[in-house]
Amino acid sequence: MWKEFKAFALKGNVLDLAIAVIIGAAFGKIVTSLVNDIIMPVFSLLFGGINLKDINYTRGDVVLSYGGFLQTVVDFFIIAFSIFLVIKLAGKFKRKEVEVVKVVEAAPAPEVALLTEIRDLLHANQTSGSK
């Protein structure tokens, strides 16, 4: 069982996923800081000092703090847009890489080209000799 777990845990996809989760968590902190420290203060200045975190609805003893939720939604859209841009950029690099590989694969190996030339010469000699 230990060997199976070790083989699973050390697969490239699992390690890539673990790294992506760690980087994603750090990226999430950066985006949260961007929203809290830069975007929301500008938003507050533009809309008359409104702080989304402070927006809530109170009814008796119940406090519904929907401002924090709105700020989390803003965080989500910024993260989603950033991920979209990264995936789009990675797609461009991947397409260029595929095009380069296609060009390399299109050229036959020198041995194959030589064998093809010999075959064509033999075929030409056979057809000219039988006439």
Side-chain angles (χ1 to χ4, degrees):
M1 188 167 147
W2 174 250
K3 287 181 182 179
E4 290 177 18
F5 175 73
K6 186 177 173 184
F8 169 77
L10 295 179
K11 281 185 180 177
N13 294 341
V14 174
L15 292 176
D16 292 344
L17 181 61
I19 291 169
V21 167
I22 292 168
I23 291 174
F27 183 71
K29 289 180 181 181
I30 291 171
V31 171
T32 300
S33 176
L34 173 71
V35 170
N36 291 339
D37 301 331
I38 297 174
I39 294 174
M40 287 305 162
V42 171
F43 179 82
S44 179
L45 285 173
L46 293 174
F47 293 101
I50 296 173
N51 186 357
L52 284 182
K53 282 186 178 179
D54 296 336
I55 299 174
N56 58 36
Y57 175 77
T58 305
R59 176 95 180 200
D61 291 339
V62 178
V63 177
L64 182 64
S65 299
Y66 63 92
F69 173 74
L70 292 175
Q71 187 157 351
T72 303
V73 170
V74 171
D75 285 351
F76 168 78
F77 281 117
I78 291 173
I79 290 172
F81 184 70
S82 300
I83 290 172
F84 169 75
L85 292 177
V86 168
I87 290 173
K88 190 169 178 126
L89 183 66
K92 284 185 180 181
F93 284 128
K94 192 169 191 167
R95 272 186 259 137
K96 287 181 182 177
E97 182 178 302
V98 169
E99 290 173 7
V100 170
V101 170
K102 286 181 182 178
V103 170
V104 172
E105 290 176 358
E111 297 87 9
V112 173
L114 183 60
L115 288 171
T116 304
E117 185 178 338
I118 293 170
R119 181 200 65 200
D120 293 343
L121 288 172
L122 287 173
H123 183 68
N125 285 340
Q126 285 178 350
T127 54
S128 66
S130 62
K131 287 183 182 180

